[in-house]
Amino acid sequence: MRLTTSSKSTPIGNVEIHEVFRVIELDAGRSVGSSVSDAPDGGSSNSTRSHSTIPFSFESLRAIESQIAIVVPCMDEDRATLAGVLYGISNETLIVVVSNSTPTNFESECELLADFCKNTERLGLAVHQKDEGLARAFHAAGMSDTMMEPRQQQTDPLRIRNGKGEGMMIGVALSKLAGKQFIGFIDADNQVAGAVQEYCKVYAAGLHYALHCSNAIDPHAMVRIKWNSKPKVKDNQLVFEKSGRSSRVVNEWMNRLLCAIAEGENQDDIIQTGNAGEHAMNLDFAMELQFATGYAVEPFQLIDAWEQFGAHLGADNVERLHTAIATIADEEGTPTPTPTSSPEITPALSPVFTAHSRLSTPPTPPEPRKVQIVQVETCNPHFHDTSKGEGHIGRMQVQGLSTIYHSTLTPPELRDHLRVYMKQSFSSLVGPGGEPEKLRAYPPMKHMDMAAFAQVVKEKSQLLVVGNWDGKQMI
Ligand code: GDD
Ligand code: MG
């Protein structure tokens, strides 16, 4: 694979988000090295930036592909379509199907996965999101926030909540259990196996770039796919639309937030993948990020990365920090620390808002790791099931915008503008003033007790394992 990269990026504290790279060759053979060119900025300004084309050899891609798990969240998708997705996933990659389908469909998905993995001699896992043993394993591991409520009685079965985000968390936990270093997500309703294969290669190339070609030492890495187009049928013609409706809206507001919090002058369209359903990262990063419920999961990853690793807190947040300090000091009867006159507080202090730290003995947290976020535009268009309805798109937009609205980083004026926009555009989905509901976000999975999870999953769940797991041949 060969990518055209760009030297342009936006830093937000420790997070660096790169301008979109492009796939310009699906198979770059054995070539190594890169060529650099200075190309004029395509936008209105006269600035130049350098573009390189970087080939990624089979070996460099394979090094990632053998260490990555691809999670396929699936809810009642067409069997033949799911089969195409499996056919497109690179051979040395672990497949993890997390299903929230009807029992009959789940049975058929398991059968499909089992046949495919047997025929191709590879490892595949499948589990149902409502599997009671799986829920018990999450519960035992300390992730009880993911449980459905209310349970009428103690004896009612535990169940993990519905939602794509929740399904992805299950995929993260199973991939960790399988000892993988990276994780990627590919929707089960992708209708083109060749596009799935391109996504796998893009994950490998993008992760390789983020880990080895940036200046950061041992960074977290994330790759977000910007599909080339999302085709729609209009007046009996196939139209290759460059952006989807959710992406257009969420990207615009995400860029407005970015411009408000990033240092220096910034492009106002650097984020092209706010909703990227297809994305990959190193597993440690997936364990550190908070996952949000449902379709808020992808926009929230950017917000959470900035909140946890990135943004220097602005004046508004400094004030809130001082209020928090005063409140805790009052409760403990300790003198209120004198507020610092510095206009900026490093992100290392931001856990004051969420964790239960004692401020009288301020902790000295470790320097957060750098985060490299790479966005890559594919060659293939993204054909997927488009029959899920208008309401579905509206809810997805509102969920994405809600993550921006409720971020502690969002300046009050931007929040006001967003509220007005949401009131005008989504009146039936938001509060009377335009406020979107604050969505559930789960604690980072790094707090999971993985030993407890492993034990309960193995003993109690109906996890389907096809292939060689822990040296043992299963099913
Ligand atoms: N396990 C599980 N549990 N899977 C689910 C659930 C669930 O509750 N709900 C949906 N899925 C699966 C679907 O079967 C599909 O494979 C994938 O998650 C994405 O769901 P879609 O309903 O097809 O979403 P979409 O196509 O409208 O939106 C996709 O693209 C957006 C960007 O344009 C999603 O990937 C979004 O997350 C993304 O923001
Ligand atoms: Mg879809």
Side-chain angles (χ1 to χ4, degrees):
M1 170 157 284
R2 191 182 303 262
L3 301 181
T4 292
T5 63
S6 161
S7 60
K8 186 106 184 168
S9 64
T10 298
I12 311 104
N14 275 359
V15 181
E16 183 173 10
I17 181 152
H18 295 261
E19 187 181 46
V20 172
F21 297 173
R22 289 194 174 77
V23 177
I24 58 158
E25 190 179 29
L26 288 171
D27 179 353
R30 293 188 169 275
S31 38
V32 284
S34 62
S35 61
V36 182
S37 61
D38 283 333
D41 190 328
S44 53
S45 85
N46 292 327
S47 66
T48 60
R49 68 187 66 151
S50 84
H51 291 276
S52 306
T53 72
I54 304 185
F56 296 85
S57 63
F58 298 134
E59 291 72 21
S60 58
L61 298 183
R62 191 174 163 257
I64 306 269
E65 287 182 328
S66 58
Q67 286 306 321
I68 196 170
I70 295 290
V71 174
V72 182
C74 180
M75 195 160 93
D76 296 318
E77 302 298 350
D78 178 66
R79 183 182 157 120
T81 306
L82 175 63
V85 171
L86 302 185
Y87 300 162
I89 297 176
S90 299
N91 177 265
E92 288 185 64
T93 295
L94 168 67
I95 300 173
V96 183
V97 174
V98 182
S99 173
N100 202 9
S101 304
T102 62
T104 314
N105 287 347
F106 180 54
E107 205 176 304
S108 159
E109 291 156 6
C110 287
E111 211 177 81
L112 177 69
L113 182 77
D115 284 350
F116 175 70
C117 289
K118 273 190 245 164
N119 289 337
T120 54
E121 298 178 14
R122 53 195 291 175
L123 179 61
L125 311 179
V127 74
H128 200 278
Q129 197 155 333
K130 298 288 166 42
D131 182 304
E132 189 186 353
L134 179 72
R136 283 180 180 276
F138 263 73
H139 197 262
M143 297 296 291
S144 44
D145 291 15
T146 56
M147 298 303 118
M148 274 184 148
E149 292 159 3
R151 279 168 84 207
Q152 310 294 340
Q153 303 182 16
Q154 265 320 89
T155 49
D156 284 354
L158 287 173
R159 300 271 185 239
I160 292 178
R161 294 174 195 274
N162 292 317
K164 183 188 173 199
E166 287 78 354
M168 288 166 59
M169 291 175 74
I170 296 168
V172 171
L174 292 174
S175 305
K176 178 80 183 167
L177 204 58
K180 292 294 165 185
Q181 283 178 35
F182 305 102
I183 187 160
F185 301 91
I186 297 186
D187 289 352
D189 64 344
N190 195 309
Q191 289 158 337
V192 182
V196 171
Q197 171 61 184
E198 185 184 12
Y199 297 168
C200 291
K201 297 295 178 213
V202 166
Y203 290 164
L207 288 170
H208 184 91
Y209 178 93
L211 294 171
H212 304 295
C213 306
S214 69
N215 292 329
I217 298 161
D218 190 26
H220 285 312
M222 177 183 275
V223 181
R224 299 172 75 90
I225 285 185
K226 176 182 185 332
W227 23 257
N228 189 295
S229 62
K230 211 170 215 181
K232 304 241 156 35
V233 177
K234 281 190 180 161
D235 301 328
N236 286 332
Q237 296 275 347
L238 198 52
V239 181
F240 290 81
E241 289 192 348
K242 276 294 182 187
S243 60
R245 284 173 294 170
S246 290
S247 308
R248 234 179 341 254
V249 170
V250 174
N251 286 342
E252 185 195 325
W253 287 93
M254 201 65 98
N255 278 310
R256 287 172 78 161
L257 172 59
L258 185 64
C259 287
I261 62 174
E263 297 135 48
E265 276 214 1
N266 286 295
Q267 247 177 285
D268 59 8
D269 62 352
I270 202 134
I271 294 180
Q272 298 289 318
T273 58
N275 272 92
E278 270 72 25
H279 60 280
M281 62 194 122
N282 58 309
L283 203 58
D284 286 351
F285 190 36
M287 303 286 288
E288 291 217 18
L289 281 179
Q290 286 194 272
F291 278 60
T293 186
Y295 298 110
V297 60
E298 286 100 8
F300 189 69
Q301 285 170 342
L302 289 179
I303 300 283
D304 191 49
W306 296 337
E307 287 185 358
Q308 280 201 56
F309 296 84
H312 287 252
L313 300 175
D316 179 45
N317 287 326
V318 171
E319 202 170 294
R320 272 190 284 151
L321 175 61
H322 293 156
T323 312
I325 290 170
T327 312
I328 294 174
D330 271 0
E331 281 168 14
E332 295 193 338
T334 50
T336 308
T338 316
T340 153
S341 58
S342 162
E344 286 185 345
I345 290 180
T346 59
L349 284 177
S350 65
V352 160
F353 295 121
T354 50
H356 314 285
S357 50
R358 303 284 98 186
L359 286 166
S360 46
T361 51
T364 43
E367 176 70 12
R369 266 165 89 173
K370 303 268 189 227
V371 178
Q372 290 284 310
I373 301 182
V374 169
Q375 310 175 88
V376 183
E377 184 176 314
T378 59
C379 292
N380 276 283
H382 185 86
F383 282 90
H384 74 137
D385 180 2
T386 48
S387 63
K388 292 179 181 173
E390 282 299 309
H392 175 72
I393 304 282
R395 283 191 295 279
M396 191 175 281
Q397 288 172 325
V398 169
Q399 291 188 10
L401 294 177
S402 165
T403 66
I404 299 170
Y405 185 86
H406 290 287
S407 171
T408 54
L409 301 173
T410 304
E413 317 79 67
L414 182 60
R415 191 171 293 135
D416 289 344
H417 287 146
L418 183 52
R419 191 169 45 236
V420 171
Y421 171 77
M422 293 189 81
K423 186 174 171 178
Q424 280 166 0
S425 310
F426 308 103
S427 57
S428 61
L429 299 174
V430 294
E435 320 77 31
E437 182 193 353
K438 185 169 186 189
L439 298 169
R440 182 176 284 114
Y442 298 103
M445 295 176 74
K446 67 180 175 188
H447 300 304
M448 275 181 87
D449 178 342
M450 284 309 293
F453 178 72
Q455 191 186 342
V456 183
V457 156
K458 284 180 185 164
E459 285 174 6
K460 305 259 191 267
S461 83
Q462 306 285 316
L463 174 70
L464 170 71
V465 183
V466 195
N468 198 331
W469 169 273
D470 275 352
K472 281 181 261 139
Q473 189 67 28
M474 319 282 290
I475 303 211

